[in-house]
Amino acid sequence: MPDKLAISFPHLGDYSVVFTQLIRHLFPDARVFPAPPMTQKTVELGSRYSPDFVCAPFKFNLGNYLEALEQGANVLVQTGTGCRYGYYGELQEQILRDLGYRFQFVCLSRERAKPAALYRHIRNLGCPLSFPRMAEAMLLACESIRAMDRYEYWMREQVAFETVPGSFEKVRQQLFADIAQADSLADLQKAKAKCRKASAALKTDPPQHPLRVGIVGDLYTLMEPFSNFFVEQQLIRQGISVSRVMGVWFLLFGKNHKQALKDSHPYLGYTVGANGVDSVAQSLAYAKKGYDGIIHMKSFGCIPELNATPALMNLSRDWDIPILHLSFDSHTSETGVQTRLEAFADMIRMKKEEGRIADSQFGRGYRFGVH
Ligand code: SF4
């Protein structure tokens, strides 16, 4: 075991704030740092040493590990289950060892991320906390994730209509900074109260009939904005209200596979792996709520989301709701994605306008055949 632990982990959106907070509490004497910020170099590094056929999360994570090792990390953390992601840790560890790096690899996916395995790894790494204090740190992390996800969910729906540019983001940054500093549930309560007060003062000026788009797809592509060229921000800049259910809180506590399968009826009769069923169930919910469009994002080669695609196409036809399917890999062109997004936004804007004219002339429910 090295003298001083230097613990690092791959990026997943801004959740590094909470992961850092948790590991800092569990290992007070360790140096804790997320992998360096994602750049094109991260992608190139990860892709260079990855098998060609793996999906993008493998390559991005491997790039993160390589950059973290170069920054002095001696403990790397990996977790995730649900699809072949559950096997990626084994391969990533072997690739890194073959490259000559020496490190400890906490591979939670090997044990299907079971709490008992997590406990054992934490103890093996020398966590000095008693069990109740360890549980407290975990609870704080979970509650922090809930606070982050709640604010971001609300923000995505509202921020396109803010009257003061950057005002929602400023509150978000403050909340995240307070979460990073929180050492107890009491600190977190104070951070949440401060955020509630600041949120109440935020002003929006939405149009009478705002465009609303739901986002579904594989968890990594959805939650790591670098991997999807910041699709949500691009939509928001075009004045669109964005909804996305997928987040870490949803994965940990909100996911109910049986319910999702029921909610995706009649489009799916059986599971299609990972979050494919959620993508269909959430899309159907967006269609029923009258959303103007759906964006289905996935990593290139993602089997669960590929399996869900025919169901989504049927749903799009039956409910007359446009669905844009976007696939991402390390070679995807950012300009190509931007062009498709702009075209999609224009199309749903025209469709909505034509639908409203039709409703006013012929009564609600009549639609021109725009698909
Ligand atoms: S859900 Fe899809 S993209 Fe994510 S690891 Fe599994 S196969 Fe890859």
Side-chain angles (χ1 to χ4, degrees), residues 118-159:
L118 176 61
Y119 178 79
R120 201 176 57 253
H121 280 293
I122 291 171
R123 279 285 177 241
N124 287 346
L125 281 173
C127 169
L129 270 54
S130 62
F131 182 76
R133 290 212 42 219
M134 203 190 277
E136 204 181 305
M138 296 281 186
L139 184 62
L140 175 61
C142 290
E143 286 300 322
S144 299
I145 287 170
R146 173 148 68 171
M148 280 175 67
D149 280 1
R150 271 195 176 167
Y151 182 78
E152 288 204 319
Y153 184 91
W154 178 74
M155 175 173 162
R156 279 191 289 273
E157 289 190 331
Q158 307 290 328
V159 66

Short mmCIF file of all heavy atoms in Angstrom, two decimals, residues 118-159:
data_model
loop_
_atom_site.label_atom_id
_atom_site.label_comp_id
_atom_site.label_asym_id
_atom_site.label_seq_id
_atom_site.Cartn_x
_atom_site.Cartn_y
_atom_site.Cartn_z
N LEU A 118 -18.63 -2.64 -1.50
CA LEU A 118 -18.19 -1.25 -1.33
C LEU A 118 -17.58 -1.08 0.07
O LEU A 118 -16.49 -0.51 0.23
CB LEU A 118 -19.40 -0.31 -1.51
CG LEU A 118 -19.16 1.18 -1.28
CD1 LEU A 118 -18.14 1.71 -2.26
CD2 LEU A 118 -20.47 1.96 -1.42
N TYR A 119 -18.26 -1.63 1.06
CA TYR A 119 -17.79 -1.53 2.46
C TYR A 119 -16.40 -2.18 2.59
O TYR A 119 -15.48 -1.61 3.18
CB TYR A 119 -18.80 -2.19 3.39
CG TYR A 119 -18.38 -2.17 4.83
CD1 TYR A 119 -18.53 -1.02 5.60
CD2 TYR A 119 -17.81 -3.30 5.43
CE1 TYR A 119 -18.11 -1.00 6.93
CE2 TYR A 119 -17.40 -3.28 6.75
CZ TYR A 119 -17.56 -2.12 7.50
OH TYR A 119 -17.14 -2.10 8.81
N ARG A 120 -16.26 -3.35 1.99
CA ARG A 120 -14.99 -4.07 2.10
C ARG A 120 -13.84 -3.28 1.45
O ARG A 120 -12.77 -3.15 2.03
CB ARG A 120 -15.13 -5.45 1.44
CG ARG A 120 -14.09 -6.44 1.92
CD ARG A 120 -14.27 -7.82 1.35
NE ARG A 120 -14.28 -7.87 -0.09
CZ ARG A 120 -15.35 -8.08 -0.85
NH1 ARG A 120 -16.53 -8.24 -0.29
NH2 ARG A 120 -15.27 -8.11 -2.16
N HIS A 121 -14.12 -2.72 0.28
CA HIS A 121 -13.08 -1.94 -0.40
C HIS A 121 -12.68 -0.72 0.43
O HIS A 121 -11.50 -0.38 0.52
CB HIS A 121 -13.59 -1.47 -1.77
CG HIS A 121 -13.52 -2.54 -2.81
ND1 HIS A 121 -12.33 -3.04 -3.27
CD2 HIS A 121 -14.48 -3.19 -3.49
CE1 HIS A 121 -12.56 -3.96 -4.20
NE2 HIS A 121 -13.87 -4.08 -4.34
N ILE A 122 -13.69 -0.07 1.00
CA ILE A 122 -13.39 1.14 1.79
C ILE A 122 -12.51 0.79 2.98
O ILE A 122 -11.55 1.47 3.29
CB ILE A 122 -14.72 1.81 2.25
CG1 ILE A 122 -15.46 2.39 1.03
CG2 ILE A 122 -14.47 2.91 3.26
CD1 ILE A 122 -16.86 2.87 1.33
N ARG A 123 -12.85 -0.32 3.63
CA ARG A 123 -12.04 -0.76 4.79
C ARG A 123 -10.63 -1.16 4.34
O ARG A 123 -9.64 -0.80 4.98
CB ARG A 123 -12.72 -1.96 5.48
CG ARG A 123 -13.84 -1.56 6.40
CD ARG A 123 -13.29 -0.96 7.70
NE ARG A 123 -14.34 -0.49 8.58
CZ ARG A 123 -14.49 0.76 8.98
NH1 ARG A 123 -13.67 1.71 8.59
NH2 ARG A 123 -15.46 1.10 9.79
N ASN A 124 -10.55 -1.89 3.22
CA ASN A 124 -9.23 -2.33 2.74
C ASN A 124 -8.31 -1.16 2.43
O ASN A 124 -7.09 -1.25 2.54
CB ASN A 124 -9.36 -3.19 1.48
CG ASN A 124 -9.92 -4.57 1.82
OD1 ASN A 124 -9.95 -4.95 2.99
ND2 ASN A 124 -10.37 -5.30 0.81
N LEU A 125 -8.93 -0.05 1.99
CA LEU A 125 -8.10 1.12 1.66
C LEU A 125 -7.69 1.89 2.91
O LEU A 125 -6.95 2.87 2.83
CB LEU A 125 -8.88 2.05 0.72
CG LEU A 125 -8.91 1.65 -0.75
CD1 LEU A 125 -9.85 2.57 -1.52
CD2 LEU A 125 -7.52 1.71 -1.37
N GLY A 126 -8.24 1.45 4.06
CA GLY A 126 -7.80 2.06 5.33
C GLY A 126 -8.67 3.19 5.83
O GLY A 126 -8.17 4.09 6.51
N CYS A 127 -9.95 3.17 5.50
CA CYS A 127 -10.86 4.23 6.01
C CYS A 127 -10.88 4.16 7.55
O CYS A 127 -11.18 3.12 8.12
CB CYS A 127 -12.26 4.02 5.45
SG CYS A 127 -13.50 5.06 6.24
N PRO A 128 -10.58 5.29 8.22
CA PRO A 128 -10.50 5.25 9.69
C PRO A 128 -11.85 5.48 10.38
O PRO A 128 -11.92 5.46 11.60
CB PRO A 128 -9.55 6.42 9.99
CG PRO A 128 -9.79 7.38 8.87
CD PRO A 128 -10.21 6.60 7.67
N LEU A 129 -12.91 5.71 9.60
CA LEU A 129 -14.20 6.08 10.20
C LEU A 129 -14.91 4.88 10.82
O LEU A 129 -14.81 3.76 10.31
CB LEU A 129 -15.12 6.69 9.13
CG LEU A 129 -15.06 8.21 8.92
CD1 LEU A 129 -13.65 8.67 8.66
CD2 LEU A 129 -15.99 8.63 7.81
N SER A 130 -15.66 5.14 11.90
CA SER A 130 -16.50 4.09 12.46
C SER A 130 -17.65 3.84 11.48
O SER A 130 -17.92 4.68 10.61
CB SER A 130 -17.08 4.54 13.81
OG SER A 130 -17.90 5.68 13.58
N PHE A 131 -18.35 2.73 11.67
CA PHE A 131 -19.44 2.43 10.73
C PHE A 131 -20.51 3.53 10.72
O PHE A 131 -20.93 3.96 9.64
CB PHE A 131 -20.06 1.06 11.05
CG PHE A 131 -21.14 0.69 10.08
CD1 PHE A 131 -20.83 0.26 8.80
CD2 PHE A 131 -22.48 0.83 10.43
CE1 PHE A 131 -21.82 -0.04 7.88
CE2 PHE A 131 -23.48 0.53 9.52
CZ PHE A 131 -23.15 0.08 8.25
N PRO A 132 -20.96 4.03 11.90
CA PRO A 132 -21.98 5.09 11.85
C PRO A 132 -21.50 6.34 11.11
O PRO A 132 -22.25 6.96 10.36
CB PRO A 132 -22.26 5.40 13.33
CG PRO A 132 -21.81 4.20 14.08
CD PRO A 132 -20.68 3.61 13.28
N ARG A 133 -20.21 6.70 11.29
CA ARG A 133 -19.73 7.92 10.60
C ARG A 133 -19.59 7.67 9.10
O ARG A 133 -19.79 8.55 8.27
CB ARG A 133 -18.40 8.36 11.21
CG ARG A 133 -18.63 8.91 12.63
CD ARG A 133 -17.69 10.00 13.01
NE ARG A 133 -17.44 10.97 11.96
CZ ARG A 133 -16.25 11.50 11.73
NH1 ARG A 133 -15.23 11.17 12.47
NH2 ARG A 133 -16.08 12.38 10.76
N MET A 134 -19.27 6.44 8.77
CA MET A 134 -19.19 6.08 7.34
C MET A 134 -20.59 6.18 6.71
O MET A 134 -20.77 6.75 5.63
CB MET A 134 -18.68 4.64 7.24
CG MET A 134 -18.04 4.31 5.93
SD MET A 134 -17.76 2.55 5.81
CE MET A 134 -16.27 2.34 6.68
N ALA A 135 -21.58 5.65 7.45
CA ALA A 135 -22.96 5.69 6.95
C ALA A 135 -23.43 7.15 6.82
O ALA A 135 -24.12 7.50 5.86
CB ALA A 135 -23.88 4.93 7.90
N GLU A 136 -22.98 7.98 7.75
CA GLU A 136 -23.36 9.40 7.70
C GLU A 136 -22.79 10.07 6.43
O GLU A 136 -23.45 10.84 5.75
CB GLU A 136 -22.79 10.08 8.94
CG GLU A 136 -23.52 11.33 9.35
CD GLU A 136 -22.85 11.94 10.58
OE1 GLU A 136 -22.71 11.21 11.60
OE2 GLU A 136 -22.45 13.09 10.51
N ALA A 137 -21.52 9.71 6.12
CA ALA A 137 -20.89 10.28 4.92
C ALA A 137 -21.64 9.83 3.66
O ALA A 137 -21.85 10.61 2.73
CB ALA A 137 -19.43 9.85 4.85
N MET A 138 -22.08 8.57 3.67
CA MET A 138 -22.84 8.04 2.51
C MET A 138 -24.18 8.76 2.38
O MET A 138 -24.61 9.12 1.28
CB MET A 138 -23.13 6.55 2.70
CG MET A 138 -21.91 5.68 2.74
SD MET A 138 -21.32 5.40 1.08
CE MET A 138 -20.02 4.25 1.41
N LEU A 139 -24.83 8.94 3.53
CA LEU A 139 -26.13 9.61 3.51
C LEU A 139 -25.99 11.05 3.01
O LEU A 139 -26.80 11.52 2.21
CB LEU A 139 -26.73 9.58 4.94
CG LEU A 139 -28.13 10.15 5.08
CD1 LEU A 139 -29.12 9.34 4.24
CD2 LEU A 139 -28.57 10.11 6.56
N LEU A 140 -24.94 11.70 3.47
CA LEU A 140 -24.70 13.08 3.02
C LEU A 140 -24.50 13.11 1.51
O LEU A 140 -25.03 13.99 0.81
CB LEU A 140 -23.48 13.66 3.75
CG LEU A 140 -23.03 15.04 3.30
CD1 LEU A 140 -24.11 16.09 3.52
CD2 LEU A 140 -21.74 15.47 4.01
N ALA A 141 -23.74 12.14 0.99
CA ALA A 141 -23.50 12.09 -0.45
C ALA A 141 -24.81 11.87 -1.21
O ALA A 141 -25.08 12.54 -2.22
CB ALA A 141 -22.50 10.99 -0.78
N CYS A 142 -25.64 10.94 -0.70
CA CYS A 142 -26.91 10.67 -1.39
C CYS A 142 -27.81 11.90 -1.38
O CYS A 142 -28.40 12.27 -2.40
CB CYS A 142 -27.65 9.51 -0.70
SG CYS A 142 -26.85 7.94 -0.97
N GLU A 143 -27.88 12.56 -0.23
CA GLU A 143 -28.73 13.75 -0.14
C GLU A 143 -28.18 14.88 -1.01
O GLU A 143 -28.93 15.68 -1.55
CB GLU A 143 -28.86 14.20 1.32
CG GLU A 143 -29.76 13.29 2.15
CD GLU A 143 -31.19 13.23 1.61
OE1 GLU A 143 -31.72 14.25 1.15
OE2 GLU A 143 -31.77 12.12 1.60
N SER A 144 -26.86 14.94 -1.12
CA SER A 144 -26.25 15.97 -1.98
C SER A 144 -26.63 15.72 -3.44
O SER A 144 -26.93 16.65 -4.19
CB SER A 144 -24.73 15.95 -1.84
OG SER A 144 -24.36 16.23 -0.52
N ILE A 145 -26.61 14.44 -3.82
CA ILE A 145 -26.99 14.09 -5.20
C ILE A 145 -28.45 14.48 -5.44
O ILE A 145 -28.80 15.05 -6.47
CB ILE A 145 -26.76 12.59 -5.46
CG1 ILE A 145 -25.26 12.30 -5.56
CG2 ILE A 145 -27.47 12.13 -6.73
CD1 ILE A 145 -24.90 10.85 -5.57
N ARG A 146 -29.28 14.20 -4.44
CA ARG A 146 -30.70 14.55 -4.60
C ARG A 146 -30.86 16.07 -4.80
O ARG A 146 -31.60 16.52 -5.66
CB ARG A 146 -31.51 14.10 -3.39
CG ARG A 146 -32.94 14.62 -3.48
CD ARG A 146 -33.96 13.74 -2.89
NE ARG A 146 -33.87 13.64 -1.46
CZ ARG A 146 -34.80 13.04 -0.72
NH1 ARG A 146 -35.85 12.51 -1.31
NH2 ARG A 146 -34.68 12.96 0.55
N ALA A 147 -30.13 16.85 -3.99
CA ALA A 147 -30.23 18.31 -4.09
C ALA A 147 -29.76 18.79 -5.46
O ALA A 147 -30.40 19.63 -6.11
CB ALA A 147 -29.41 18.96 -2.98
N MET A 148 -28.64 18.24 -5.93
CA MET A 148 -28.11 18.63 -7.25
C MET A 148 -29.10 18.30 -8.35
O MET A 148 -29.41 19.12 -9.22
CB MET A 148 -26.84 17.83 -7.56
CG MET A 148 -25.60 18.34 -6.90
SD MET A 148 -24.21 17.22 -7.23
CE MET A 148 -23.97 17.40 -8.98
N ASP A 149 -29.59 17.05 -8.32
CA ASP A 149 -30.47 16.59 -9.40
C ASP A 149 -31.78 17.38 -9.42
O ASP A 149 -32.30 17.71 -10.48
CB ASP A 149 -30.76 15.09 -9.27
CG ASP A 149 -29.59 14.26 -9.81
OD1 ASP A 149 -28.60 14.87 -10.26
OD2 ASP A 149 -29.67 13.02 -9.79
N ARG A 150 -32.31 17.69 -8.23
CA ARG A 150 -33.56 18.46 -8.18
C ARG A 150 -33.40 19.83 -8.80
O ARG A 150 -34.23 20.27 -9.58
CB ARG A 150 -34.00 18.64 -6.72
CG ARG A 150 -34.86 17.54 -6.24
CD ARG A 150 -35.53 17.94 -4.98
NE ARG A 150 -36.43 16.90 -4.55
CZ ARG A 150 -36.97 16.86 -3.36
NH1 ARG A 150 -36.71 17.79 -2.47
NH2 ARG A 150 -37.80 15.90 -3.05
N TYR A 151 -32.30 20.50 -8.40
CA TYR A 151 -32.11 21.86 -8.94
C TYR A 151 -31.90 21.79 -10.45
O TYR A 151 -32.49 22.56 -11.21
CB TYR A 151 -30.93 22.57 -8.26
CG TYR A 151 -30.80 23.97 -8.80
CD1 TYR A 151 -31.64 24.99 -8.38
CD2 TYR A 151 -29.88 24.27 -9.82
CE1 TYR A 151 -31.57 26.27 -8.92
CE2 TYR A 151 -29.80 25.54 -10.37
CZ TYR A 151 -30.65 26.54 -9.91
OH TYR A 151 -30.58 27.79 -10.47
N GLU A 152 -31.08 20.87 -10.89
CA GLU A 152 -30.77 20.80 -12.33
C GLU A 152 -32.01 20.42 -13.14
O GLU A 152 -32.20 20.93 -14.24
CB GLU A 152 -29.63 19.81 -12.58
CG GLU A 152 -28.31 20.37 -12.10
CD GLU A 152 -27.13 19.77 -12.80
OE1 GLU A 152 -27.14 18.55 -13.03
OE2 GLU A 152 -26.18 20.51 -13.12
N TYR A 153 -32.85 19.54 -12.60
CA TYR A 153 -34.08 19.15 -13.31
C TYR A 153 -34.96 20.39 -13.52
O TYR A 153 -35.45 20.66 -14.61
CB TYR A 153 -34.83 18.08 -12.51
CG TYR A 153 -36.06 17.55 -13.23
CD1 TYR A 153 -35.94 16.42 -14.04
CD2 TYR A 153 -37.29 18.17 -13.14
CE1 TYR A 153 -37.05 15.93 -14.73
CE2 TYR A 153 -38.40 17.70 -13.82
CZ TYR A 153 -38.26 16.57 -14.60
OH TYR A 153 -39.35 16.10 -15.30
N TRP A 154 -35.12 21.14 -12.44
CA TRP A 154 -35.95 22.35 -12.50
C TRP A 154 -35.31 23.39 -13.43
O TRP A 154 -35.98 24.01 -14.24
CB TRP A 154 -36.09 22.89 -11.06
CG TRP A 154 -36.86 24.15 -10.95
CD1 TRP A 154 -38.21 24.31 -11.06
CD2 TRP A 154 -36.33 25.46 -10.71
NE1 TRP A 154 -38.55 25.62 -10.90
CE2 TRP A 154 -37.41 26.35 -10.67
CE3 TRP A 154 -35.05 25.96 -10.51
CZ2 TRP A 154 -37.26 27.73 -10.45
CZ3 TRP A 154 -34.88 27.33 -10.29
CH2 TRP A 154 -35.97 28.18 -10.25
N MET A 155 -33.99 23.51 -13.32
CA MET A 155 -33.28 24.50 -14.13
C MET A 155 -33.42 24.21 -15.64
O MET A 155 -33.64 25.11 -16.43
CB MET A 155 -31.80 24.52 -13.72
CG MET A 155 -30.93 25.43 -14.55
SD MET A 155 -29.26 25.55 -13.87
CE MET A 155 -28.37 26.16 -15.29
N ARG A 156 -33.28 22.94 -16.00
CA ARG A 156 -33.36 22.59 -17.42
C ARG A 156 -34.70 23.02 -18.03
O ARG A 156 -34.78 23.41 -19.18
CB ARG A 156 -33.20 21.07 -17.61
CG ARG A 156 -31.79 20.58 -17.59
CD ARG A 156 -31.69 19.15 -18.06
NE ARG A 156 -32.23 18.20 -17.13
CZ ARG A 156 -31.55 17.66 -16.12
NH1 ARG A 156 -30.30 17.99 -15.91
NH2 ARG A 156 -32.12 16.79 -15.30
N GLU A 157 -35.76 22.93 -17.21
CA GLU A 157 -37.08 23.27 -17.73
C GLU A 157 -37.28 24.79 -17.85
O GLU A 157 -38.06 25.25 -18.66
CB GLU A 157 -38.16 22.70 -16.80
CG GLU A 157 -38.25 21.18 -16.88
CD GLU A 157 -39.46 20.64 -16.15
OE1 GLU A 157 -39.90 21.28 -15.18
OE2 GLU A 157 -39.95 19.58 -16.55
N GLN A 158 -36.59 25.53 -16.98
CA GLN A 158 -36.86 26.97 -16.88
C GLN A 158 -35.83 27.88 -17.54
O GLN A 158 -36.16 28.99 -17.95
CB GLN A 158 -36.93 27.38 -15.39
CG GLN A 158 -37.89 26.58 -14.55
CD GLN A 158 -39.33 26.87 -14.91
OE1 GLN A 158 -39.66 27.98 -15.30
NE2 GLN A 158 -40.19 25.86 -14.81
N VAL A 159 -34.59 27.44 -17.58
CA VAL A 159 -33.49 28.36 -17.85
C VAL A 159 -33.56 29.03 -19.23
O VAL A 159 -33.06 30.14 -19.41
CB VAL A 159 -32.12 27.66 -17.64
CG1 VAL A 159 -31.89 26.55 -18.65
CG2 VAL A 159 -30.98 28.65 -17.65
#
